[in-house]
């Protein structure tokens, strides 16, 4: 007897690449062992198909000049930091993905947005597949100040939820979380790649057709990406990540993709008894409690979106007792740290090959801007030589492979921030000094450097 064969496809967990057979390496992104088997999805489901075929007759071309800008209507979330990260408020009809570790405060933030919008007279639906009505109510009581009602729905079937949303026509919908929702049309389990995609595409249609702002919560994997394929990030309009250490009170909301504003804008929040509160001066927070005048600690300035942020980098360099020196980095790209150590070894003659090196960024932040290179270099030198860098010193600049210090952008903003925070001296690339206005030189002592050897002399 011939058994009916269930068709399966293989998806890459990282990039969503589809294949009919299993492969060790994904041809899409080059990662190994990321292909997982799932039941095949009938092509008709979801996927914007209804949108195009139904209205095919009515389509016409639009001139660029005819497009009116009013279409992009924004709602005030009542949280200025969030508005800024979103590029000026919540755009109607946009789909926003909020990712982050469990317990970081995603549900709290979203419920706060719901409260603010509801109090503002907006109609809100909160769909939860994770928590019971009681749990949501408890959180709401904790946050307090709910003046108007919001509508809750505990449901894991996305089709049921979508129908109810279509009927209610709210201004904003929250779906917490995308991994718990599923569609009956797809046989694989909730949280699988095809389910997550399907749920997102249903929500995408809902957002675009009804002009509803939809927030979806996505859990992240150990590697720090939203579980499910990267394709989820391609599908939505905006991706926000909640970062920070579980135990730290400070949380950073980072925009990594935004079709309606600039990316890499950050908002800093503090988790308190009654929800998340904005931090208006993040540099202050990041520098709080830093050791003064101890070796290995320096302050750098990194541009996060349009805002300069002062932050402490710490390095610990000590002779190794292993065959292979140990190197770790927290909050900074590990390869970048290794590269800079190699530059110091070769270009400044420091014997780092026999040393363990640990480099940390304070406050649970993650930075990727090359302008912090010089800070890392200074922290390493300071720890290696055991000479403290004066606590009133701020450092920025990019370091190249030949040990040269290169100029960076936004010099004036960075210096202003340093002056505002009471710093008295800064070490910056020489090329940046030349293009600087005279007035700065009176307000803060400026040391221009052109390579790492000069840095060592100054320190
Ligand atoms: P939560 O929003 O449930 O996190 P997520 O949805 O990202 O998993 O928040 C979890 C943590 O925040 C929890 O440990 C309790 C804490 N918390 C506060 O400290 N204050 C508050 O007002 C609230 C609501 C939560
Ligand atoms: Mg939650």
């Amino acid at each position: 007897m011939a058994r009916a064969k269930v068709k399966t496809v293989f998806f890459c967990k990282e990039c969503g690449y589809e294949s009919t057979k299993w492969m060790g390496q994904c041809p899409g992104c080059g990662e190994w062992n990321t292909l997982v088997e799932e039941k095949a999805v009938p092509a008709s489901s979801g996927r914007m198909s209804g949108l195009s075929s139904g209205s095919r007759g009515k389509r016409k071309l639009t001139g660029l000049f005819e497009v009116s800008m009013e279409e992009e209507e924004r709602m005030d979330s009542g949280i200025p930091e969030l508005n800024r990260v979103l590029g000026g408020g919540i755009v109607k009809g946009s789909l926003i993905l909020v990712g982050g570790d469990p317990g970081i405060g995603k549900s709290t933030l979203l419920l706060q947005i719901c409260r603010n919008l509801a109090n503002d007279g907006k109609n809100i639906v909160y769909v939860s597949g994770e928590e019971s009505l009681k749990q949501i109510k408890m959180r709401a009581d904790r946050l307090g100040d709910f003046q108007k009602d919001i509508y809750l729905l505990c449901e894991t079937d996305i089709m049921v939820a979508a129908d109810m949303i279509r009927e209610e026509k709210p201004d904003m919908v929250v779906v917490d979380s995308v991994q718990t929702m599923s569609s009956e049309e797809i046989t694989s389990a909730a949280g699988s790649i095809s389910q997550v995609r399907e749920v997102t595409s249903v929500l995408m249609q809902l957002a675009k057709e009804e002009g509803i702002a939809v927030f979806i919560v996505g859990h992240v994997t150990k590697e720090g990406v939203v579980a499910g394929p990267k394709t989820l990030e391609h599908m939505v309009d905006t991706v926000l990540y909640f970062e920070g250490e579980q135990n730290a009170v400070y949380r950073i909301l980072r925009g990594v993709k935004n079709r309606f504003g600039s990316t890499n804008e950050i908002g800093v929040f503090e988790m308190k008894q009654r929800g998340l509160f904005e931090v208006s001066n993040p540099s202050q927070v990041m520098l709080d409690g830093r050791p003064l005048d101890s070796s290995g600690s320096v302050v750098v300035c990194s541009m996060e979106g349009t805002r300069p942020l002062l932050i402490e980098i710490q390095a610990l360099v000590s002779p190794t007792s292993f065959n292979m020196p140990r190197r770790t980095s927290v909050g900074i790209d590990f390869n970048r740290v290794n590269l800079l150590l190699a530059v110091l070894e070769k270009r400044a003659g420091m014997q780092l090959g026999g040393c363990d090196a640990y480099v940390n960024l304070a406050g649970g932040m993650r930075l990727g801007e090359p302008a912090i290179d010089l800070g890392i270099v200074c922290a390493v030198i300071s720890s290696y030589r055991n000479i403290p860098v004066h606590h009133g010193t701020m450092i920025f600049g990019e370091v190249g492979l030949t040990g040269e210090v290169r100029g960076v952008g936004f010099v004036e903003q960075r210096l202003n921030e340093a002056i505002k925070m009471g710093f008295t001296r800064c070490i910056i690339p020489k090329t940046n000094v030349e293009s600087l206005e005279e007035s700065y030189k009176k307000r803060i002592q400026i040391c221009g450097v052109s390579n790492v050897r000069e840095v060592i002399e100054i320190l």
Side-chain angles (χ1 to χ4, degrees):
M1 267 223 302
R3 246 188 304 155
K5 223 172 147 194
V6 183
K7 258 207 166 153
T8 60
V9 281
F10 294 86
F11 284 108
C12 170
K13 279 189 288 186
E14 294 293 323
C15 70
Y17 183 88
E18 255 180 76
S19 161
T20 49
K21 62 180 200 308
W22 190 84
M23 279 176 276
Q25 186 184 26
C26 169
C29 60
E31 287 292 321
W32 289 91
N33 272 334
T34 53
L35 263 64
V36 289
E37 184 171 13
E38 280 182 19
K39 297 221 174 70
V41 186
S44 68
S45 63
R47 305 270 156 87
M48 310 298 280
S49 48
L51 194 102
S52 53
S53 63
S55 43
R56 198 169 280 159
K58 289 172 248 151
R59 287 287 151 106
K60 68 175 182 61
L61 299 172
T62 312
L64 177 64
F65 297 160
E66 290 169 43
V67 181
S68 71
M69 283 308 284
E70 277 115 27
E71 275 175 69
E72 200 183 281
E73 217 179 309
R74 288 178 189 263
M75 295 184 284
D76 178 7
S77 68
I79 307 175
E81 284 286 280
L82 178 80
N83 289 345
R84 216 166 42 79
V85 175
L86 288 174
I90 304 166
V91 177
K92 283 200 176 148
S94 68
L95 186 61
I96 301 159
L97 174 67
V98 181
D101 291 328
I104 195 110
K106 302 179 293 294
S107 306
T108 307
L109 178 73
L110 291 175
L111 199 59
Q112 274 178 260
I113 302 170
C114 290
R115 175 193 64 192
N116 295 350
L117 286 177
N119 289 353
D120 214 21
K122 299 278 194 293
N123 193 0
I124 311 290
V125 172
Y126 188 103
V127 184
S128 180
E130 294 200 335
E131 291 167 313
S132 65
L133 293 173
K134 272 217 189 78
Q135 283 171 307
I136 301 170
K137 171 79 174 153
M138 266 161 58
R139 181 177 292 120
D141 283 345
R142 202 165 167 186
L143 298 176
D145 194 33
F146 279 78
Q147 293 155 11
K148 301 237 174 74
D149 216 0
I150 67 171
Y151 298 103
L152 308 176
L153 175 66
C154 288
E155 179 60 63
T156 54
D157 187 334
I158 188 66
M159 292 309 175
V160 174
D163 285 344
M164 294 187 81
I165 292 166
R166 281 220 163 79
E167 220 166 273
E168 181 64 34
K169 290 204 191 321
D171 297 290
M172 189 185 105
V173 171
V174 170
V175 178
D176 190 358
S177 65
V178 67
Q179 278 92 4
T180 54
M181 307 301 285
S182 60
S183 161
E184 270 180 6
E185 286 177 30
I186 293 180
T187 41
S188 54
S192 66
I193 292 158
S194 29
Q195 282 288 9
V196 167
R197 271 201 204 174
E198 176 68 14
V199 169
T200 311
S201 77
V202 167
L203 291 171
M204 168 74 110
Q205 275 191 36
L206 202 61
K208 301 296 163 201
E209 285 171 7
E210 311 284 333
I212 304 170
V214 181
F215 278 85
I216 49 182
V217 171
H219 292 293
V220 296
T221 58
K222 271 213 292 302
E223 291 80 36
V225 292
V226 172
K230 261 262 186 276
T231 41
L232 195 61
E233 289 189 7
H234 299 310
M235 289 168 81
V236 301
D237 295 311
T238 304
V239 181
L240 307 178
Y241 271 101
F242 232 152
E243 296 172 359
E245 276 165 50
Q246 183 103 55
N247 308 327
V249 278
Y250 297 106
R251 307 286 150 91
I252 292 130
L253 188 68
R254 188 188 293 276
V256 291
K257 165 180 176 178
N258 195 352
R259 288 192 181 142
F260 304 105
S262 68
T263 48
N264 257 323
E265 203 68 67
I266 62 162
V268 182
F269 293 90
E270 183 180 0
M271 183 62 99
K272 289 195 184 160
Q273 261 319 304
R274 302 191 58 186
L276 288 158
F277 288 80
E278 300 167 76
V279 173
S280 51
N281 189 354
S283 292
Q284 179 71 57
V285 167
M286 292 296 159
L287 295 181
D288 246 4
R290 78 186 157 113
L292 296 184
D293 298 328
S294 56
S295 68
S297 157
V298 302
V299 174
V300 294
C301 184
S302 174
M303 292 300 293
E304 295 299 308
T306 51
R307 191 158 66 174
L309 182 73
L310 297 184
I311 190 162
E312 183 200 358
I313 291 185
Q314 293 188 336
L316 182 66
V317 181
S318 60
T320 183
S321 46
F322 303 97
N323 288 336
M324 275 269 285
R326 285 171 62 96
R327 265 114 203 236
T328 64
S329 75
V330 176
I332 310 169
D333 182 36
F334 179 68
N335 293 326
R336 192 83 204 154
V337 171
N338 271 336
L339 186 144
L340 292 170
L341 291 174
V343 169
L344 279 176
E345 176 131 20
K346 174 96 179 165
R347 307 290 169 192
M350 287 167 60
Q351 304 294 314
L352 292 168
C355 293
D356 292 338
Y358 309 91
V359 182
N360 282 8
L361 207 57
M365 270 292 279
R366 260 177 259 161
L367 296 183
E369 215 205 356
I372 64 171
D373 286 356
L374 194 58
I376 301 172
V377 164
C378 290
V380 169
I381 297 171
S382 159
S383 176
Y384 179 76
R385 297 259 158 111
N386 210 10
I387 36 168
V389 177
H390 184 261
H391 66 265
T393 308
M394 188 272 282
I395 300 161
F396 63 84
E398 187 182 340
V399 176
L401 285 184
T402 63
E404 85 277 19
V405 176
R406 300 176 177 210
V408 297
F410 304 105
V411 180
E412 272 140 38
Q413 281 95 322
R414 293 180 212 257
L415 290 179
N416 286 337
E417 183 75 3
I419 294 167
K420 191 178 99 190
M421 296 299 298
F423 282 75
T424 51
R425 184 173 78 139
C426 55
I427 302 176
I428 69 174
K430 199 164 243 161
T431 44
N432 282 143
V433 180
E434 284 152 18
S435 56
L436 207 59
E437 272 180 45
E438 276 302 310
S439 63
Y440 279 100
K441 296 173 189 162
K442 292 195 197 90
R443 289 155 68 199
I444 189 165
Q445 187 197 343
I446 295 172
C447 311
V449 288
S450 54
N451 60 54
V452 289
R453 280 180 303 278
E454 286 180 31
V455 181
I456 294 176
E457 275 160 38
I458 288 181
L459 291 180

